[in-house]
Amino acid sequence: MTASQPQDDVDDLMPGEDDLLYEEELLRNPYSMKLWWRYIGARKHAPAKRRYLLYERAVKALPGSYKLWHAYLQERKLAVRGLSITNPAMEALSNTFERALVTMHKMPRIWLEYLTLLMEQKLVTHTRRAFDRALAAIPITQHDRIWQLYLEFIRQPGIPVETALRVYRRYLKLEPSHTEEFIAYLKSQESWGEAAQKLAEVVNDDMFRSLEGKSKHQLWLELCDIVTKHPEDVASIKVEAIIRGGIRKFTDEVGRLWTSLADYFIRQGESMFEKARDIYEEGLASVVTVRDFSLIFDALAQFEESLINAKMAHLDIEEEDDQEDIGTDFLLKDDGNDLDLRIARLERLMSRRPELLSSVMLRQNPHNVHEWHKRVKLFEGQPTKQILTYTEAVKTVDDQKAVGKPHTLWCSFAKYYEKHGDVHNARVIFEKAVQVQYKYVDDLASVWCEWAEMELRHQNFKRAMEVMRRATAAPQSSRERLTRDQRKNLPVQERLYRSLKLWSFFVDLEESLGTMESTRAVYDRVLELRIATPQIILNYAMFLQEQKYWEDSFQVYERGVVLFKYPHVRDIWQAYLTQFVDRYGGQKLERARDLFEQALQQAPPADSKPIFMQFAALEEKYGLAKHAMTIYERAVKTVPQKERLDVYKLYISRASDFFGIGKVREIYEMAIEAHPPHDLADDDCRAMCLQYAGLERNLGEIDRARAIYVHASSLCDPNVDKAFWEEWKQFEVKHGNEDTFMEMRRIKRSVAASYSQMHYNMATVEATIPSTGTVEAGSQQVASKLKQEDEMAALERGAEQAGGTGLFGRFVRGEVIQQGEKDAAADGEAGPSAPNPEEIDIDVDDDDEEGEGGSKDMELAQKEVPAAVFGSIKRPAAQEAVGAMERLKRKKAAEKG
């Protein structure tokens, strides 16, 4: 390097000709921020030293310009990027920051950049002091920005722990809610004592709210973990008091707190093992949940097992030492009795588990009767403990809060004394039990019944009767005029005399042990109290009948039918009527009839069928057959529709036995021609029609049978009731001719069309009913329209007008009178009628005629079709004398030609 090189560097720093304009302006106005900024911007490609000189001149002229200082510092930082922290440029940059902070000490951004630079240089003391200067310089409202970086600095490796702790303590004075961060740092540095202190302060501070979302319970558990696992480090803290406070305050996981407290004493050494065992026992005796109990019990069992294992390992070592040192005095040796003690302690603990668990369940709910019974069973074979348990149970259980039946405890207690032969003390227990204020009357009644049963088991019959008389005695003050709500507020002892359970038991005792008069007095008292049930009425009447007091038993029945209504009185009426008929038969027929009429008057239609049948049987056996028929007729009009067919069958059977075929026909016609509300269901009506038609066919009345088929056809859809049409078809094949067969087929098509039209009209009405209308209205319209268009109904009405009323009005001398001939005679017309436009053209491929009585398998008699078939249309002359079979033959010949 030559001597002229420094001079050259100085020349490079001097302003050039291009800088003269800026320099002259700065001479005139050296404090202009815009001039300095334009000058620096114009020289952005100049060497770094020259730009640094410009910045130095600018900040010297304007030391309070944040913009100039920030730009200068950023350029200096960019220049040292990637350099070693020991490079002199790093120190120069730090000095520049120091000079900037002389005037920029209120700017947090400058401080943050400076502190970040110091942290990179690993200058611990210098950095800590810079942080302190920053906190002292900037306003407190900006401290959170500095503290964030400060905490990051002290958490770096190599920072002294004491320094970090002091910084954290200062930080918590500003932000006490961030205590959890400090605790986490203390735990990471294994400073368990201070961490426990801070946690204790947090859990005792009711105003503290965890920023990490932890509950007070979680903080308690965290504190317990620290103090129990590091007892040496937390000697200054009252660990037991802290954990017991948590047990009292937090009841959801007290099992874990108890085990933590015991673990604390276990870790202190062998001298505290007994204290730890006491803590476990105290926990088992105080927890109220099975989960906590299981946690403590398992921890205690594990603790005892660990002691046994440690003792066994110690004995093994001692045996090896004894073998090496044979000369040791045997009096100084451990004979292992301590091991037996520890094993016995563990076995006793395991045997006590059911008892301890029962105690937990009872602490959870001391009014649980079932748990008390289970506890008594645990002490099987220990009379003293069982008696103490029963005594504690009856004292503890509140009858108003009891879960279960509290009276069973008293009864079981008394039975326990009875089982051991101490009947006197059992009576004492029962005497106390009947004075308890139970929640329900039935509980008190059960106690009295159990007492009486105990006396019966010991053959003390008089004492048992006396017990029941005491139980059923009415209170001295009259309570019978009180309302039901008022009675509910009375003690159970004053409401006991109305207990049906008690009176039922008393009645049984009187029937077995008492006299006739005393038993009747008890039954009458039950009826007077109006607490009798239908079964009481039946039992009373049966008792009197066994004693041959028939009329008295019937009076009891009379009282029963007055007390009860249907359906409760059904059994009473059934027994009353049956017993009366069996007793008197036909001797008191009028009285029996009055009873049946009274029963039918009260009975609803659903329950009237058995009474009608029994009434009719009475008339058949002892009365008049005409009266029986009248009863059957009333029955078919009264019983529900689903039972009507069975009544009709029985009615017809009895009519056939007593009056013959004329009455049977009358009943059949009444059944199939009835109108609502006494008609049969469609299925039942079809079955009745088929049965009627079968009867007429067996009697040889073919025309009558055919008329029945015609009448029933309107109820039988050919697409659904195929069995009916098949039966009619077989009937016509066997008994009819071509004309009747064709008439049957015409009716079948007419009915099928009628059902199809019905379905179509229903669909149309459902689609066209206005939104304000109802479906029922539309259905009524369709029904009325179909009724007008029913061809079968019109045909039957015409037949009735022509031949008289009734189903068989159209038949005279066994022949069908055609309506067309009647009309022709009335109009004075003669000769053949016009051809029928609905004439049926039988096709050769008709399935119904092939092989089933058709023209190929059967020769049918030829008979001229009546004019009524063709109506008023004139029949063609060419077809007048040609039957259906001839037309069929001609058609086949024409097709072949």
Side-chain angles (χ1 to χ4, degrees), residues 620-745:
E620 291 176 10
K621 189 173 181 180
Y622 303 107
L624 300 176
K626 183 178 179 181
H627 289 175
M629 294 299 102
T630 304
I631 293 170
Y632 282 122
E633 185 175 356
R634 289 172 59 191
V636 298
K637 295 179 180 180
T638 305
V639 299
Q641 191 180 66
K642 61 182 180 180
E643 300 178 353
R644 209 162 285 170
L645 181 61
D646 296 335
V647 179
Y648 266 118
K649 289 180 179 179
L650 184 60
Y651 187 13
I652 293 169
S653 176
R654 292 292 183 267
S656 177
D657 295 339
F658 292 121
F659 296 98
I661 193 62
K663 184 64 175 177
V664 171
R665 284 173 174 166
E666 180 182 347
I667 297 172
Y668 269 120
E669 292 186 17
M670 180 181 67
I672 63 181
E673 291 186 338
H675 298 286
H678 308 303
D679 57 343
L680 289 167
D682 289 345
D683 295 339
D684 296 341
C685 188
R686 284 193 291 270
M688 186 67 72
C689 290
L690 291 175
Q691 185 177 354
Y692 188 16
L695 174 65
E696 296 292 356
R697 183 171 58 186
N698 294 333
L699 295 174
E701 297 290 345
I702 303 303
D703 292 335
R704 284 182 173 274
R706 183 177 291 110
I708 295 170
Y709 283 123
V710 172
H711 178 80
S713 62
S714 61
L715 302 175
C716 303
D717 187 356
N719 296 324
V720 178
D721 304 304
K722 297 181 180 180
F724 170 81
W725 293 98
E726 182 64 24
E727 183 174 343
W728 190 4
K729 176 181 176 181
Q730 296 299 329
F731 170 81
E732 294 295 347
V733 169
K734 186 175 181 180
H735 302 286
N737 53 36
E738 182 181 0
D739 294 336
T740 58
F741 189 83
M742 304 310 294
E743 179 70 10
M744 182 270 294
R745 289 179 55 79

Side-chain angles (χ1 to χ4, degrees), residues 741-760:
F741 189 83
M742 304 310 294
E743 179 70 10
M744 182 270 294
R745 289 179 55 79
R746 186 192 67 78
I747 292 173
K748 182 178 180 180
R749 284 192 292 270
S750 177
V751 173
S754 176
Y755 275 96
S756 300
Q757 183 69 17
M758 181 186 298
H759 297 159
Y760 171 76

Side-chain angles (χ1 to χ4, degrees), residues 314-341:
H314 181 68
L315 289 177
D316 293 339
I317 296 175
E318 286 184 351
E319 289 179 1
E320 294 178 359
D321 294 341
D322 291 343
Q323 292 177 359
E324 295 177 358
D325 188 7
I326 302 177
T328 305
D329 190 354
F330 70 95
L331 295 176
L332 301 178
K333 295 180 181 179
D334 189 355
D335 57 359
N337 291 333
D338 186 35
L339 178 61
D340 296 337
L341 176 63

